[in-house]
Amino acid sequence: MITIEVAGAPVDAVLAKPPSGSGPGVLMFMDAFGLRPRIDQIAREVASWGYVVLAPNVFHRDGTADELAPTGDITTPEGMYAFFQQAGPRIGHLTTELALADITAYLDTLQALPGVQPGPVGVVGFCMGGRLALRAAGLAPQRVAACAGFHVSGLVTDQPDSPHLVIAGSTAEYLFAHADNDRGLTPADSAALGDTIARAGLRGTSEIYAGSMHGYTMADTAAWNEAAYHRAMDELRALFARTLGESEAA
């Protein structure tokens, strides 16, 4: 864990580097359950492919990573539900206006880190973090070459600030892998997301992983699906290799 500065305030973050010590940058957005060992594990896996990965505590206004970490057993549905009663309000605290200001700071920090190679970066988010990844791609089209989101709800809404609307002004390649039977991202939403990518003339996929629950990448929760996770990581690695390049020294 390292500390970065956002708007003059300290923010916890995970930093993971490849064996070579350098590579293209990747900004990783955590899920609603916070910056914890599982996020560190995923960041280190992505770093092993040849990337410098930064994963900030996006709920820094509510507390430090340690203060916000789960204390109960989230490997059971009951435990997940109980913790989400605490974590859920934090999502509402992070308004679009605040998120956009933070994203700019995160990108600046990532691209200034020792070992991060010049050039565009990739962004990836899990759960609500996928909405932040998409907003990053729309906010900084010349800086973000790849955007991925896994089991993300609320990407397509009827609101004027719906996250999917930013795709039209972006240049990234997209990868969205949705959970099955997710009330927050329906098959119709998945299709609309794919259509939006196509209309923008961009490359990307929006698909549903059959049999996977919302949260399927998180091995410390009841939603864990090992097969879906490995499929997601294989597709993410291919996306980053196409758009960022993959370090031979990784």
Side-chain angles (χ1 to χ4, degrees):
M1 196 82 71
I2 65 169
T3 300
I4 61 175
E5 187 174 294
V6 176
V11 174
D12 301 322
V14 163
L15 175 63
K17 291 188 175 184
S20 65
S22 66
V26 170
L27 181 58
M28 178 178 291
F29 293 102
M30 67 192 205
D31 64 349
F33 286 178
L35 200 65
R36 60 197 194 283
R38 179 56 182 159
I39 301 300
D40 182 80
Q41 291 167 358
I42 298 174
R44 291 184 184 281
E45 179 173 349
V46 174
S48 75
W49 306 337
Y51 307 104
V52 179
V53 182
L54 180 70
N57 170 24
V58 303
F59 294 148
H60 59 88
R61 293 177 182 84
D62 292 291
T64 67
D66 286 343
E67 290 169 343
L68 303 180
T71 54
D73 183 5
I74 59 174
T75 63
T76 68
E78 298 78 12
M80 284 182 64
Y81 177 80
F83 182 71
F84 194 75
Q85 302 315 297
Q86 304 172 41
R90 298 169 194 157
I91 300 174
H93 298 165
L94 187 59
T95 64
T96 299
E97 182 179 7
L98 291 175
L100 291 176
D102 285 353
I103 288 167
T104 297
Y106 299 149
L107 287 170
D108 289 345
T109 299
L110 171 64
Q111 293 188 295
L113 287 173
V116 174
Q117 295 175 356
V121 303
V123 294
V124 55
F126 304 90
C127 182
M128 49 77 63
R131 295 195 294 274
L132 298 177
L134 181 49
R135 293 205 181 279
L139 178 66
Q142 302 309 313
R143 303 171 76 178
V144 177
C147 175
F150 300 108
H151 51 83
V152 188
S153 295
L155 287 173
V156 179
T157 75
D158 59 3
Q159 298 302 306
D161 66 343
S162 177
H164 81 290
L165 297 177
V166 308
I167 290 172
S170 68
T171 59
E173 179 178 342
Y174 290 96
L175 165 63
F176 293 108
H178 314 295
D180 204 356
N181 296 305
D182 190 338
R183 290 178 297 176
L185 201 298
T186 66
D189 294 335
S190 177
L193 194 58
D195 289 344
T196 301
I197 294 169
R199 285 197 303 271
L202 300 173
R203 182 173 179 175
T205 59
S206 175
E207 62 179 316
I208 294 172
Y209 284 3
S212 62
M213 293 175 59
H214 183 89
Y216 63 78
T217 63
M218 297 299 156
D220 58 351
T221 75
W224 169 239
N225 184 315
E226 185 174 5
Y229 173 73
H230 288 302
R231 178 183 175 188
M233 290 299 100
D234 287 346
E235 294 193 13
L236 181 64
R237 183 169 185 169
L239 170 69
F240 285 166
R242 284 193 302 272
T243 57
L244 305 179
E246 192 168 15
S247 172
E248 295 180 358

